[in-house]
Amino acid sequence: MGFSPLSVLLIFAIGPLRCFATFAPRWDDVQAKHTWSSIPENWQNLGHPPAGTTVDLHVALKAQNETALIDALHEVSNPGNPKYGAHLSREQVAELAAPAPDVLQLVGTWLKHHGVPSSTIATKHGGSWLTLTGVPVSRANELLSASYQLYQHIGTNETVLRTLSYGLPTALITHVQTVAPTTHFGSPRTSRQKPLMRPDGAAGVQTKVPAGEPRTVLTGRDESPPVTPSFLRRLYKTSRYVPFAADRNMLGVVGFLDQYPSPDDLTLFMNQYRSDATSATFKVVPDDPFVNWLDYVLVQEKVPQTISINYGAEEYKVPPDHAGFVCNLFAWLGMRGASVLLSSGDDGVGLGSCLFTDGYGNSRVKFVPTFPSTCPWITSVGATTGYYPEVAASLSGGGFSVYFPRPPYQNQGVPDFLRNLGSQYSDFYNPGGCGVPDISLQAINYLYVLNKQPWTMTGTSCSTPTAAGIISLLNDYMISTGRRPLGFLNFWLYGRGLSGLNDITSGSNPGCKTDGFSAVPGWDPVRPA
Ligand SMILES: *[C@@H]1O[C@H](CO)[C@@H](O)[C@H](O)[C@H]1NC(C)=O
Ligand SMILES: *[C@@H]1O[C@H](CO)[C@@H](O)[C@H](O)[C@H]1NC(C)=O
C-alpha cells in the first residue's frame, strides 16, 4: 500500500514542527538586522566603553498578526466603517499588539542560552516590549552580534553607546521589530527641526516685533503681518466656536530637549492676545526622547485626544526597523482615539544638494523627506502663508517616503498628482511612498512671547500646533455632543473631511537645488489647508 496524498501532507505538516520542538534553534545562525556602512554624519567614535559598562536593552517584538493591527486602526478611523469611533482601550491594543506565545517562549530560550538572568527581564505592552536591565556590554555584543562603542555628537557633545550594526538569530529575526539602543543614533536633540528658519534663508533668526502694538487685523497692506490668534481664528473660521468639553478634552504638546512652556509668558500672551482664555493651562510632561515618550503615553489609561509634535529627522538617518517601530506605536495611539499632528519639516524637498552615492559610486540627487512625518499613521502638517489666496510656503517640507508605502487613504489623490507630474524628478523620490504632508496651515511670521517680549517665528513648528488647536476644537464639539473624538484623522481627511479644506493651488517647496514640487488643484506634496 502506498502513501495517500493526505498522509504525505500530514508528514510534511508534523515533521518540521516536531523537529522544532525537539532541537533548539541554532543561535549562532545570525542574520544582519541593520548596518551602517560608516559612522553617521556628525558623530565621532570614542572607542570602547570602560569595562563593566552595562546597557538596558529594549526588544520590540512584532504583533502576532500585523495585518489585524492595522485593520483595527482602519475600522475605528474610517467614517464608512460600522466600528468608526469605537476606539480601543490600552488593554485591547496590547492584546492586538502581542506577539504569538511561542515567539515569547523562543525569545526566552535565546536569552537563557546567553545567560541573561530572568530576573532582569521585564515585559510591557502585552509582551510586545521586553526590557533587559543592566546587560553587560560584552553580553550585549554576543546577543546581537554587535560592537557597542561610545560615540559623541559633534556639536552637542552628547555621548551615547551604540553599535554600527547588529543582527539576530535566523529563528528570531522575522519576529523582532527592533532592538534599542543599537544603530539609531539620532536623538531628538540632533533631529530637532529649525523652527526659526526664514524663507529668505536667514536661518535661526528671531525677529523682535518693533515697538508698538502688533497688527492683528487682516486689512494691513504688509506682505506678511505677524500671525496672531485672532488672524488664525478668522482665517480658519473658528472665532465663533465656544468649547463645551474643556473638562474632558485634552490637547497634548510634546516637548523634548529642555523645551518647556513658560507659565509667565503664556499668561502674558493670553492676556494680550486671547483675553477670553487666560485660564488656559498645561501639564508639563518631563522631557523624554521619542520612544520614551510613546512608551509613557501608551501606558496611560487615557491619552490626549489631540497631540501636537514638532520634531523630525531626515528619514534616511533613522534605521528602517526603528522607524517602523515608532510608526507602529503611532498606529497604537490612533487606535486609542488620538489625533496626532506632526510637522513635515522646514526644508522643502530637502536641505543642501541632497547628493547620495549609489552602489556604483555615482552621485545622485535624492529628495529628503523627514520622519516621523512620513509615517502613514499620523497627520503631517506643512506650511502656507498669505491669505486670499493662501499659498504654499516655500519652506514647507513635503515629498514621498522611502520606507513607508502609500497608504490606502491616499489612493485617490496621490496617483493623480503623480500622473500630472510625469517624469519630472522621477529618480529623486519614491512614487510608491506615503505622500507628505496631509494638510498645511499658516507657518510664517507667528507672533509669540519669550521672556516677556514679543517675537515672531516661522516654520511648521508654528503650523502644527495651530492644526492641533483646530482639531482639538472639533474634538471638543464631538465630545460635547456625546460622540467619540475624531481619532486618527486621515481616512476622514481624505474622504468626507476634504470638503472642509481649502485647496492650495499655488506655491512650491524648493530644495535639493531644485524647484521642488508645485501646489496644484487636488493633492500635492505642498498641499491643502
Ligand atoms: C490576520 O488578521 C486578518 C484580519 O485582519 C485575517 O484576515 C487574517 O486571516 C489573519 N492572519 C492570520 C495568519 O491569522
Ligand atoms: C563640546 O566640547 C568642546 C571641546 O571640549 C567645547 O569646546 C564645546 O564648547 C563643547 N560644546 C558644548 C555644546 O558643550
Side-chain angles (χ1 to χ4, degrees), residues 10 18 25 99 114 136 175 234 247 257 291 357 399 454 465 476 484:
L10 273 175
R18 212 181 30 222
H114 284 282
H175 302 299
R234 256 181 271 183
D247 55 334
L257 325 179
V291 171
T357 308
D476 179 281
R484 299 287 312 163

Side-chain angles (χ1 to χ4, degrees), residues 510-529:
C512 300
K513 300 208 157 83
T514 74
D515 295 335
F517 294 111
S518 292
V520 293
W523 187 89
D524 52 69
V526 260
R527 220 212 151 163

Side-chain angles (χ1 to χ4, degrees), residues 18-87:
R18 212 181 30 222
C19 293
F20 190 77
T22 314
F23 304 102
R26 285 195 39 208
W27 298 123
D28 58 350
D29 175 13
V30 169
Q31 287 180 39
K33 186 76 176 166
H34 182 250
T35 301
W36 293 119
S37 55
S38 56
I39 299 173
E41 205 183 327
N42 294 326
W43 291 89
Q44 59 181 336
N45 186 335
L46 298 186
H48 292 279
T53 302
T54 63
V55 55
D56 292 349
L57 290 177
H58 305 276
V59 182
L61 299 173
K62 289 185 186 171
Q64 177 159 21
N65 185 342
E66 292 195 297
T67 314
L69 197 71
I70 295 304
D71 281 356
L73 177 67
H74 286 207
E75 284 171 4
V76 300
S77 315
N78 195 335
N81 196 287
K83 289 193 186 165
Y84 180 58
H87 301 127

Side-chain angles (χ1 to χ4, degrees), residues 287-525:
D287 291 343
D288 261 330
F290 233 174
V291 171
N292 287 352
W293 175 76
L294 283 160
D295 178 24
Y296 163 81
V297 76
L298 285 165
V299 296
Q300 306 301 313
E301 194 184 326
K302 285 187 182 160
V303 298
Q305 292 90 345
T306 315
I307 295 174
S308 172
I309 304 179
N310 287 341
Y311 297 90
E314 295 93 332
E315 194 188 55
Y316 73 87
K317 289 188 177 171
V318 184
D321 56 328
H322 186 87
F325 170 60
V326 171
C327 187
N328 280 344
L329 296 183
F330 280 118
W332 296 14
L333 263 184
M335 280 189 271
R336 297 284 303 277
S339 308
V340 179
L341 286 305
L342 210 144
S343 54
S344 72
D346 293 345
D347 297 321
V349 288
L351 188 64
S353 60
C354 311
L355 286 173
F356 293 83
T357 308
D358 70 10
Y360 303 99
N362 301 315
S363 281
R364 295 185 184 282
V365 173
K366 295 282 175 205
F367 289 163
V368 180
T370 64
F371 178 79
S373 81
T374 51
C375 168
W377 315 127
I378 52 89
T379 299
S380 53
V381 182
T384 66
T385 187
Y387 46 91
Y388 313 135
E390 196 173 352
V391 301
S394 58
L395 61 79
S396 190
F400 297 86
S401 177
V402 176
Y403 294 169
F404 300 97
R406 182 188 309 139
Y409 57 78
Q410 286 187 342
N411 279 341
Q412 301 278 316
V414 176
D416 287 344
F417 173 82
L418 292 172
R419 211 168 301 125
N420 289 332
L421 188 66
S423 60
Q424 196 186 11
Y425 305 138
S426 61
D427 292 335
F428 298 0
Y429 71 98
N430 170 21
C434 179
V436 177
D438 299 304
I439 50 171
S440 294
L441 292 90
Q442 292 284 321
I444 310 298
N445 211 20
Y446 268 60
L447 190 79
Y448 73 107
V449 169
L450 179 69
N451 297 331
K452 306 192 169 63
Q453 296 285 341
W455 302 77
T456 61
M457 79 168 175
T458 284
T460 48
S461 299
C462 301
S463 54
T464 306
T466 303
I470 294 170
I471 295 300
S472 187
L473 291 178
L474 292 174
N475 274 332
D476 179 281
Y477 176 72
M478 296 297 280
I479 294 165
S480 61
T481 53
R483 286 178 278 181
R484 299 287 312 163
L486 294 167
F488 173 56
L489 297 169
N490 292 7
F491 288 99
W492 168 73
L493 268 181
Y494 283 78
R496 271 185 225 171
L498 213 50
S499 60
L501 301 180
N502 168 34
D503 192 4
I504 304 297
T505 57
S506 62
S508 62
N509 67 342
C512 300
K513 300 208 157 83
T514 74
D515 295 335
F517 294 111
S518 292
V520 293
W523 187 89
D524 52 69

Side-chain angles (χ1 to χ4, degrees), residues 230 232-244 274 276 473:
S230 64
L232 292 170
R233 294 170 83 211
R234 256 181 271 183
L235 184 65
Y236 296 128
K237 303 187 177 71
T238 62
S239 305
R240 299 225 189 103
Y241 185 74
V242 180
F244 286 102
R274 275 302 301 273
D276 58 326
L473 291 178

